[in-house]
mmCIF file of all heavy atoms in Angstrom:
data_model
loop_
_atom_site.group_PDB
_atom_site.id
_atom_site.type_symbol
_atom_site.label_atom_id
_atom_site.label_comp_id
_atom_site.label_asym_id
_atom_site.label_seq_id
_atom_site.Cartn_x
_atom_site.Cartn_y
_atom_site.Cartn_z
ATOM 1 N N ALA Q 1 -7.770 69.460 -50.908
ATOM 2 C CA ALA Q 1 -7.394 68.306 -50.090
ATOM 3 C C ALA Q 1 -5.888 68.109 -50.137
ATOM 4 O O ALA Q 1 -5.310 68.052 -51.220
ATOM 5 C CB ALA Q 1 -8.110 67.056 -50.595
ATOM 6 N N LYS Q 2 -5.277 68.008 -48.974
ATOM 7 C CA LYS Q 2 -3.821 67.845 -48.914
ATOM 8 C C LYS Q 2 -3.390 66.394 -49.112
ATOM 9 O O LYS Q 2 -2.427 66.111 -49.796
ATOM 10 C CB LYS Q 2 -3.298 68.389 -47.590
ATOM 11 C CG LYS Q 2 -3.433 69.884 -47.493
ATOM 12 C CD LYS Q 2 -2.851 70.416 -46.212
ATOM 13 C CE LYS Q 2 -2.954 71.921 -46.220
ATOM 14 N NZ LYS Q 2 -3.412 72.504 -45.004
ATOM 15 N N ASN Q 3 -4.066 65.468 -48.470
ATOM 16 C CA ASN Q 3 -3.700 64.051 -48.519
ATOM 17 C C ASN Q 3 -4.927 63.192 -48.820
ATOM 18 O O ASN Q 3 -5.375 62.429 -47.964
ATOM 19 C CB ASN Q 3 -3.081 63.616 -47.188
ATOM 20 C CG ASN Q 3 -1.827 64.395 -46.876
ATOM 21 O OD1 ASN Q 3 -0.897 64.400 -47.666
ATOM 22 N ND2 ASN Q 3 -1.814 65.062 -45.736
ATOM 23 N N PRO Q 4 -5.458 63.298 -50.026
ATOM 24 C CA PRO Q 4 -6.682 62.551 -50.322
ATOM 25 C C PRO Q 4 -6.456 61.043 -50.387
ATOM 26 O O PRO Q 4 -5.371 60.578 -50.751
ATOM 27 C CB PRO Q 4 -7.111 63.093 -51.681
ATOM 28 C CG PRO Q 4 -5.844 63.555 -52.307
ATOM 29 C CD PRO Q 4 -4.984 64.048 -51.176
ATOM 30 N N VAL Q 5 -7.480 60.324 -50.012
ATOM 31 C CA VAL Q 5 -7.540 58.869 -50.168
ATOM 32 C C VAL Q 5 -8.751 58.616 -51.035
ATOM 33 O O VAL Q 5 -9.839 59.133 -50.768
ATOM 34 C CB VAL Q 5 -7.706 58.160 -48.805
ATOM 35 C CG1 VAL Q 5 -7.913 56.666 -49.004
ATOM 36 C CG2 VAL Q 5 -6.506 58.434 -47.918
ATOM 37 N N TYR Q 6 -8.571 57.838 -52.104
ATOM 38 C CA TYR Q 6 -9.683 57.558 -53.003
ATOM 39 C C TYR Q 6 -10.264 56.196 -52.679
ATOM 40 O O TYR Q 6 -9.544 55.198 -52.618
ATOM 41 C CB TYR Q 6 -9.232 57.631 -54.467
ATOM 42 C CG TYR Q 6 -10.404 57.617 -55.406
ATOM 43 C CD1 TYR Q 6 -11.269 58.703 -55.473
ATOM 44 C CD2 TYR Q 6 -10.681 56.508 -56.185
ATOM 45 C CE1 TYR Q 6 -12.371 58.687 -56.301
ATOM 46 C CE2 TYR Q 6 -11.769 56.484 -57.025
ATOM 47 C CZ TYR Q 6 -12.624 57.573 -57.080
ATOM 48 O OH TYR Q 6 -13.724 57.548 -57.903
ATOM 49 N N VAL Q 7 -11.573 56.152 -52.479
ATOM 50 C CA VAL Q 7 -12.288 54.919 -52.171
ATOM 51 C C VAL Q 7 -13.052 54.516 -53.422
ATOM 52 O O VAL Q 7 -13.795 55.327 -53.986
ATOM 53 C CB VAL Q 7 -13.268 55.115 -50.992
ATOM 54 C CG1 VAL Q 7 -14.022 53.826 -50.693
ATOM 55 C CG2 VAL Q 7 -12.533 55.616 -49.752
ATOM 56 N N GLY Q 8 -12.878 53.264 -53.852
ATOM 57 C CA GLY Q 8 -13.568 52.830 -55.059
ATOM 58 C C GLY Q 8 -13.745 51.335 -55.138
ATOM 59 O O GLY Q 8 -13.276 50.587 -54.276
ATOM 60 N N ASP Q 9 -14.400 50.923 -56.233
ATOM 61 C CA ASP Q 9 -14.709 49.499 -56.386
ATOM 62 C C ASP Q 9 -14.569 48.990 -57.820
ATOM 63 O O ASP Q 9 -15.070 47.920 -58.146
ATOM 64 C CB ASP Q 9 -16.115 49.202 -55.862
ATOM 65 C CG ASP Q 9 -17.215 49.903 -56.647
ATOM 66 O OD1 ASP Q 9 -16.910 50.719 -57.541
ATOM 67 O OD2 ASP Q 9 -18.396 49.622 -56.366
ATOM 68 N N THR Q 10 -13.900 49.748 -58.675
ATOM 69 C CA THR Q 10 -13.720 49.302 -60.053
ATOM 70 C C THR Q 10 -12.258 49.407 -60.465
ATOM 71 O O THR Q 10 -11.476 50.123 -59.844
ATOM 72 C CB THR Q 10 -14.552 50.155 -61.044
ATOM 73 O OG1 THR Q 10 -13.985 51.461 -61.123
ATOM 74 C CG2 THR Q 10 -16.027 50.231 -60.633
ATOM 75 N N ILE Q 11 -11.937 48.731 -61.541
ATOM 76 C CA ILE Q 11 -10.580 48.807 -62.073
ATOM 77 C C ILE Q 11 -10.266 50.242 -62.499
ATOM 78 O O ILE Q 11 -9.137 50.707 -62.342
ATOM 79 C CB ILE Q 11 -10.356 47.798 -63.236
ATOM 80 C CG1 ILE Q 11 -8.890 47.761 -63.677
ATOM 81 C CG2 ILE Q 11 -11.260 48.094 -64.409
ATOM 82 C CD1 ILE Q 11 -7.933 47.179 -62.685
ATOM 83 N N ASN Q 12 -11.246 50.964 -63.013
ATOM 84 C CA ASN Q 12 -11.011 52.361 -63.387
ATOM 85 C C ASN Q 12 -10.698 53.222 -62.173
ATOM 86 O O ASN Q 12 -9.875 54.139 -62.256
ATOM 87 C CB ASN Q 12 -12.203 52.932 -64.151
ATOM 88 C CG ASN Q 12 -12.239 52.451 -65.585
ATOM 89 O OD1 ASN Q 12 -11.305 51.826 -66.085
ATOM 90 N ND2 ASN Q 12 -13.335 52.724 -66.269
ATOM 91 N N ASP Q 13 -11.323 52.928 -61.038
ATOM 92 C CA ASP Q 13 -10.999 53.635 -59.802
ATOM 93 C C ASP Q 13 -9.553 53.367 -59.403
ATOM 94 O O ASP Q 13 -8.805 54.278 -59.048
ATOM 95 C CB ASP Q 13 -11.933 53.208 -58.663
ATOM 96 C CG ASP Q 13 -13.368 53.636 -58.875
ATOM 97 O OD1 ASP Q 13 -13.617 54.673 -59.520
ATOM 98 O OD2 ASP Q 13 -14.270 52.924 -58.376
ATOM 99 N N GLN Q 14 -9.174 52.104 -59.471
ATOM 100 C CA GLN Q 14 -7.804 51.706 -59.114
ATOM 101 C C GLN Q 14 -6.786 52.414 -60.003
ATOM 102 O O GLN Q 14 -5.830 53.010 -59.511
ATOM 103 C CB GLN Q 14 -7.648 50.195 -59.266
ATOM 104 C CG GLN Q 14 -6.212 49.711 -59.116
ATOM 105 C CD GLN Q 14 -6.008 48.311 -59.684
ATOM 106 O OE1 GLN Q 14 -6.783 47.415 -59.400
ATOM 107 N NE2 GLN Q 14 -4.978 48.148 -60.488
ATOM 108 N N LEU Q 15 -6.995 52.348 -61.298
ATOM 109 C CA LEU Q 15 -6.046 52.933 -62.247
ATOM 110 C C LEU Q 15 -5.965 54.453 -62.101
ATOM 111 O O LEU Q 15 -4.872 55.036 -62.156
ATOM 112 C CB LEU Q 15 -6.422 52.552 -63.673
ATOM 113 C CG LEU Q 15 -6.312 51.056 -63.996
ATOM 114 C CD1 LEU Q 15 -6.917 50.762 -65.359
ATOM 115 C CD2 LEU Q 15 -4.873 50.572 -63.903
ATOM 116 N N ALA Q 16 -7.112 55.100 -61.883
ATOM 117 C CA ALA Q 16 -7.128 56.554 -61.725
ATOM 118 C C ALA Q 16 -6.381 56.968 -60.460
ATOM 119 O O ALA Q 16 -5.588 57.914 -60.476
ATOM 120 C CB ALA Q 16 -8.563 57.072 -61.699
ATOM 121 N N ALA Q 17 -6.628 56.268 -59.358
ATOM 122 C CA ALA Q 17 -5.954 56.599 -58.091
ATOM 123 C C ALA Q 17 -4.447 56.398 -58.222
ATOM 124 O O ALA Q 17 -3.661 57.243 -57.780
ATOM 125 C CB ALA Q 17 -6.519 55.752 -56.957
ATOM 126 N N GLN Q 18 -4.045 55.289 -58.824
ATOM 127 C CA GLN Q 18 -2.618 55.027 -58.993
ATOM 128 C C GLN Q 18 -1.972 56.101 -59.862
ATOM 129 O O GLN Q 18 -0.898 56.615 -59.528
ATOM 130 C CB GLN Q 18 -2.400 53.639 -59.590
ATOM 131 C CG GLN Q 18 -2.713 52.537 -58.605
ATOM 132 C CD GLN Q 18 -2.729 51.149 -59.242
ATOM 133 O OE1 GLN Q 18 -2.888 50.994 -60.448
ATOM 134 N NE2 GLN Q 18 -2.574 50.133 -58.406
ATOM 135 N N ALA Q 19 -2.623 56.471 -60.963
ATOM 136 C CA ALA Q 19 -2.066 57.491 -61.857
ATOM 137 C C ALA Q 19 -2.038 58.866 -61.196
ATOM 138 O O ALA Q 19 -1.173 59.686 -61.499
ATOM 139 C CB ALA Q 19 -2.867 57.541 -63.157
ATOM 140 N N ALA Q 20 -2.982 59.108 -60.277
ATOM 141 C CA ALA Q 20 -3.026 60.392 -59.563
ATOM 142 C C ALA Q 20 -2.076 60.418 -58.370
ATOM 143 O O ALA Q 20 -1.902 61.452 -57.737
ATOM 144 C CB ALA Q 20 -4.448 60.676 -59.094
ATOM 145 N N GLY Q 21 -1.476 59.267 -58.058
ATOM 146 C CA GLY Q 21 -0.572 59.191 -56.913
ATOM 147 C C GLY Q 21 -1.297 59.251 -55.581
ATOM 148 O O GLY Q 21 -0.738 59.689 -54.583
ATOM 149 N N MET Q 22 -2.543 58.797 -55.568
ATOM 150 C CA MET Q 22 -3.346 58.810 -54.347
ATOM 151 C C MET Q 22 -3.446 57.412 -53.769
ATOM 152 O O MET Q 22 -3.585 56.441 -54.522
ATOM 153 C CB MET Q 22 -4.774 59.279 -54.640
ATOM 154 C CG MET Q 22 -4.900 60.698 -55.014
ATOM 155 S SD MET Q 22 -6.642 61.099 -55.310
ATOM 156 C CE MET Q 22 -6.437 62.743 -55.983
ATOM 157 N N PRO Q 23 -3.422 57.287 -52.454
ATOM 158 C CA PRO Q 23 -3.707 55.977 -51.864
ATOM 159 C C PRO Q 23 -5.104 55.534 -52.286
ATOM 160 O O PRO Q 23 -6.030 56.342 -52.356
ATOM 161 C CB PRO Q 23 -3.657 56.236 -50.357
ATOM 162 C CG PRO Q 23 -2.852 57.485 -50.204
ATOM 163 C CD PRO Q 23 -3.121 58.290 -51.439
ATOM 164 N N PHE Q 24 -5.227 54.246 -52.585
ATOM 165 C CA PHE Q 24 -6.504 53.687 -53.045
ATOM 166 C C PHE Q 24 -7.013 52.710 -52.015
ATOM 167 O O PHE Q 24 -6.320 51.769 -51.631
ATOM 168 C CB PHE Q 24 -6.315 53.009 -54.403
ATOM 169 C CG PHE Q 24 -7.549 52.346 -54.937
ATOM 170 C CD1 PHE Q 24 -8.729 53.054 -55.101
ATOM 171 C CD2 PHE Q 24 -7.525 51.005 -55.287
ATOM 172 C CE1 PHE Q 24 -9.872 52.439 -55.600
ATOM 173 C CE2 PHE Q 24 -8.654 50.377 -55.790
ATOM 174 C CZ PHE Q 24 -9.832 51.092 -55.957
ATOM 175 N N LEU Q 25 -8.231 52.935 -51.562
ATOM 176 C CA LEU Q 25 -8.908 52.045 -50.633
ATOM 177 C C LEU Q 25 -9.997 51.331 -51.422
ATOM 178 O O LEU Q 25 -10.954 51.964 -51.872
ATOM 179 C CB LEU Q 25 -9.508 52.850 -49.474
ATOM 180 C CG LEU Q 25 -9.974 52.060 -48.268
ATOM 181 C CD1 LEU Q 25 -9.961 52.944 -47.034
ATOM 182 C CD2 LEU Q 25 -11.311 51.436 -48.477
ATOM 183 N N SER Q 26 -9.824 50.039 -51.613
ATOM 184 C CA SER Q 26 -10.771 49.257 -52.409
ATOM 185 C C SER Q 26 -11.832 48.620 -51.532
ATOM 186 O O SER Q 26 -11.540 48.099 -50.462
ATOM 187 C CB SER Q 26 -10.022 48.151 -53.166
ATOM 188 O OG SER Q 26 -10.946 47.309 -53.829
ATOM 189 N N VAL Q 27 -13.051 48.656 -52.024
ATOM 190 C CA VAL Q 27 -14.142 47.951 -51.362
ATOM 191 C C VAL Q 27 -14.563 46.744 -52.202
ATOM 192 O O VAL Q 27 -15.642 46.213 -52.042
ATOM 193 C CB VAL Q 27 -15.348 48.874 -51.063
ATOM 194 C CG1 VAL Q 27 -14.969 49.918 -50.036
ATOM 195 C CG2 VAL Q 27 -15.873 49.527 -52.319
ATOM 196 N N LYS Q 28 -13.646 46.331 -53.085
ATOM 197 C CA LYS Q 28 -13.886 45.142 -53.905
ATOM 198 C C LYS Q 28 -12.617 44.301 -53.917
ATOM 199 O O LYS Q 28 -11.533 44.792 -54.250
ATOM 200 C CB LYS Q 28 -14.267 45.522 -55.328
ATOM 201 C CG LYS Q 28 -14.568 44.317 -56.185
ATOM 202 C CD LYS Q 28 -15.015 44.707 -57.551
ATOM 203 C CE LYS Q 28 -15.345 43.460 -58.340
ATOM 204 N NZ LYS Q 28 -15.666 43.781 -59.720
ATOM 205 N N LEU Q 29 -12.769 43.059 -53.566
ATOM 206 C CA LEU Q 29 -11.653 42.128 -53.552
ATOM 207 C C LEU Q 29 -11.099 41.937 -54.965
ATOM 208 O O LEU Q 29 -11.850 41.909 -55.935
ATOM 209 C CB LEU Q 29 -12.116 40.777 -52.982
ATOM 210 C CG LEU Q 29 -11.037 39.765 -52.641
ATOM 211 C CD1 LEU Q 29 -10.103 40.325 -51.576
ATOM 212 C CD2 LEU Q 29 -11.682 38.480 -52.141
ATOM 213 N N GLY Q 30 -9.787 41.849 -55.062
ATOM 214 C CA GLY Q 30 -9.154 41.565 -56.341
ATOM 215 C C GLY Q 30 -8.527 42.770 -57.014
ATOM 216 O O GLY Q 30 -7.792 42.610 -57.983
ATOM 217 N N LEU Q 31 -8.808 43.955 -56.522
ATOM 218 C CA LEU Q 31 -8.172 45.137 -57.085
ATOM 219 C C LEU Q 31 -6.870 45.397 -56.347
ATOM 220 O O LEU Q 31 -6.757 45.089 -55.167
ATOM 221 C CB LEU Q 31 -9.089 46.353 -56.954
ATOM 222 C CG LEU Q 31 -10.408 46.289 -57.726
ATOM 223 C CD1 LEU Q 31 -11.267 47.502 -57.399
ATOM 224 C CD2 LEU Q 31 -10.155 46.199 -59.225
ATOM 225 N N ARG Q 32 -5.885 45.951 -57.046
ATOM 226 C CA ARG Q 32 -4.635 46.328 -56.381
ATOM 227 C C ARG Q 32 -4.875 47.627 -55.632
ATOM 228 O O ARG Q 32 -5.236 48.636 -56.234
ATOM 229 C CB ARG Q 32 -3.520 46.495 -57.404
ATOM 230 C CG ARG Q 32 -2.791 45.177 -57.657
ATOM 231 C CD ARG Q 32 -1.574 45.364 -58.531
ATOM 232 N NE ARG Q 32 -2.036 45.306 -59.913
ATOM 233 C CZ ARG Q 32 -1.669 46.146 -60.858
ATOM 234 N NH1 ARG Q 32 -0.824 47.101 -60.621
ATOM 235 N NH2 ARG Q 32 -2.139 46.035 -62.065
ATOM 236 N N SER Q 33 -4.704 47.577 -54.343
ATOM 237 C CA SER Q 33 -5.018 48.752 -53.538
ATOM 238 C C SER Q 33 -4.047 48.864 -52.375
ATOM 239 O O SER Q 33 -3.358 47.913 -52.023
ATOM 240 C CB SER Q 33 -6.449 48.658 -53.020
ATOM 241 O OG SER Q 33 -6.600 47.517 -52.199
ATOM 242 N N ASP Q 34 -4.039 50.031 -51.787
ATOM 243 C CA ASP Q 34 -3.241 50.247 -50.587
ATOM 244 C C ASP Q 34 -3.944 49.669 -49.369
ATOM 245 O O ASP Q 34 -3.302 49.250 -48.413
ATOM 246 C CB ASP Q 34 -2.992 51.748 -50.395
ATOM 247 C CG ASP Q 34 -2.244 52.336 -51.582
ATOM 248 O OD1 ASP Q 34 -1.040 52.050 -51.702
ATOM 249 O OD2 ASP Q 34 -2.871 53.042 -52.393
ATOM 250 N N PHE Q 35 -5.266 49.682 -49.420
ATOM 251 C CA PHE Q 35 -6.098 49.153 -48.337
ATOM 252 C C PHE Q 35 -7.306 48.472 -48.953
ATOM 253 O O PHE Q 35 -7.785 48.881 -50.010
ATOM 254 C CB PHE Q 35 -6.592 50.286 -47.416
ATOM 255 C CG PHE Q 35 -5.504 51.148 -46.875
ATOM 256 C CD1 PHE Q 35 -5.188 52.354 -47.475
ATOM 257 C CD2 PHE Q 35 -4.770 50.752 -45.755
ATOM 258 C CE1 PHE Q 35 -4.174 53.159 -46.981
ATOM 259 C CE2 PHE Q 35 -3.752 51.540 -45.260
ATOM 260 C CZ PHE Q 35 -3.454 52.748 -45.877
ATOM 261 N N TYR Q 36 -7.797 47.463 -48.288
ATOM 262 C CA TYR Q 36 -9.008 46.765 -48.732
ATOM 263 C C TYR Q 36 -9.945 46.604 -47.545
ATOM 264 O O TYR Q 36 -9.510 46.250 -46.446
ATOM 265 C CB TYR Q 36 -8.674 45.379 -49.305
ATOM 266 C CG TYR Q 36 -9.898 44.494 -49.413
ATOM 267 C CD1 TYR Q 36 -10.868 44.736 -50.386
ATOM 268 C CD2 TYR Q 36 -10.112 43.456 -48.512
ATOM 269 C CE1 TYR Q 36 -12.004 43.954 -50.461
ATOM 270 C CE2 TYR Q 36 -11.241 42.662 -48.588
ATOM 271 C CZ TYR Q 36 -12.185 42.917 -49.562
ATOM 272 O OH TYR Q 36 -13.315 42.150 -49.629
#
């Protein structure tokens, strides 16, 4: 994958995406994400 976007709903998803340098699309309100 050249430009992956990670979709998740937990704080661990958020932290993993941020550490991996991937845009994070959250399906749970309250997480820091690029998109919700």
